[in-house]
């Protein structure tokens, strides 16, 4: 399969609803949209059609309604989105993003501990980092 066209922020919001529901009609998705977003039914329908056209969702006809279901897993979309983001902003390098997040965001002591544990697990699984 070729590279999937990126989903917009609004489209990803709608995709997340479908991922959470598993299978959903336009009406079911529309009912789950945050009311403060003030999206109308037709707009939700348009986002769902775009997500189908871009390869994020499958559809199946159920009577007069289309039922949408995930075609790709959220983890895969997250990976593709982060890879694209890293490439565009940091020329593919991971460390500058991590440095930015640590220096520009309030990280709690618990989050720092989780990062340390994650790095320790990585080293246990992969061995000590090698110099490039």
């Amino acid at each position: 399969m070729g590279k999937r066209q990126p989903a917009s922020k609004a489209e990803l919001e709608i995709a997340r609803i479908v991922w959470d529901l598993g299978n959903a009609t336009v009406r079911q998705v529309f009912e789950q949209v945050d009311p403060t977003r003030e999206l109308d039914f037709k707009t939700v329908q348009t986002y769902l059609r775009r997500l189908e056209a871009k390869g994020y969702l499958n559809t199946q006809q159920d009577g007069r309604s289309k039922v949408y279901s995930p075609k790709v897993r959220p983890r895969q979309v997250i990976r593709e989105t982060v890879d694209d983001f890293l490439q565009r902003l940091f020329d593919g390098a991971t460390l500058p993003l991590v440095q930015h997040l640590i220096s520009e965001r309030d990280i709690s002591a618990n989050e720092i501990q989780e990062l340390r544990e994650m790095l320790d697990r990585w080293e246990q699984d992969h061995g000590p980092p090698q110099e490039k």
Side-chain angles (χ1 to χ4, degrees):
M1 178 179 160
K3 188 173 180 182
R4 189 178 0 271
Q5 187 178 356
S8 70
K9 180 180 175 182
E11 289 167 348
L12 285 174
E13 179 183 349
I14 298 301
R16 278 194 298 268
I17 293 171
V18 177
W19 289 327
D20 289 345
L21 295 174
N23 295 310
T25 63
V26 178
R27 172 78 46 210
Q28 290 168 322
V29 173
F30 175 71
E31 290 171 354
Q32 295 296 311
V33 173
D34 181 349
T36 63
R37 290 280 287 122
E38 298 181 358
L39 293 179
D40 62 27
F41 184 89
K42 286 283 192 193
T43 301
V44 171
Q45 187 174 45
T46 298
Y47 287 146
L48 287 165
R49 286 181 180 150
R50 285 182 190 166
L51 288 163
E52 178 188 10
K54 291 179 178 183
Y56 290 87
L57 300 177
N58 287 315
T59 59
Q60 185 174 355
Q61 200 67 36
D62 184 15
R64 292 181 49 170
S65 298
K66 274 190 174 181
V67 178
Y68 292 87
S69 62
K71 187 171 186 174
V72 294
R73 294 185 172 145
R75 185 180 188 129
Q76 182 178 350
V77 175
I78 291 167
R79 184 180 315 112
E80 291 169 0
T81 304
V82 170
D83 287 349
D84 178 63
F85 177 78
L86 281 171
Q87 194 59 47
R88 285 185 293 117
L89 261 60
F90 299 105
D91 201 26
T94 306
L95 188 57
L97 173 62
V98 174
Q99 289 170 326
H100 170 79
L101 293 172
I102 289 171
S103 66
E104 298 295 325
R105 300 284 181 147
D106 292 329
I107 297 181
S108 70
N110 286 341
E111 289 171 322
I112 291 170
Q113 184 60 36
E114 283 183 49
L115 282 170
R116 283 192 176 112
E117 291 169 5
M118 195 181 304
L119 289 169
D120 289 344
R121 281 192 306 274
W122 189 91
E123 281 189 344
Q124 286 175 349
D125 293 343
H126 298 90
Q130 301 295 316
E131 290 292 323
K132 287 189 177 183

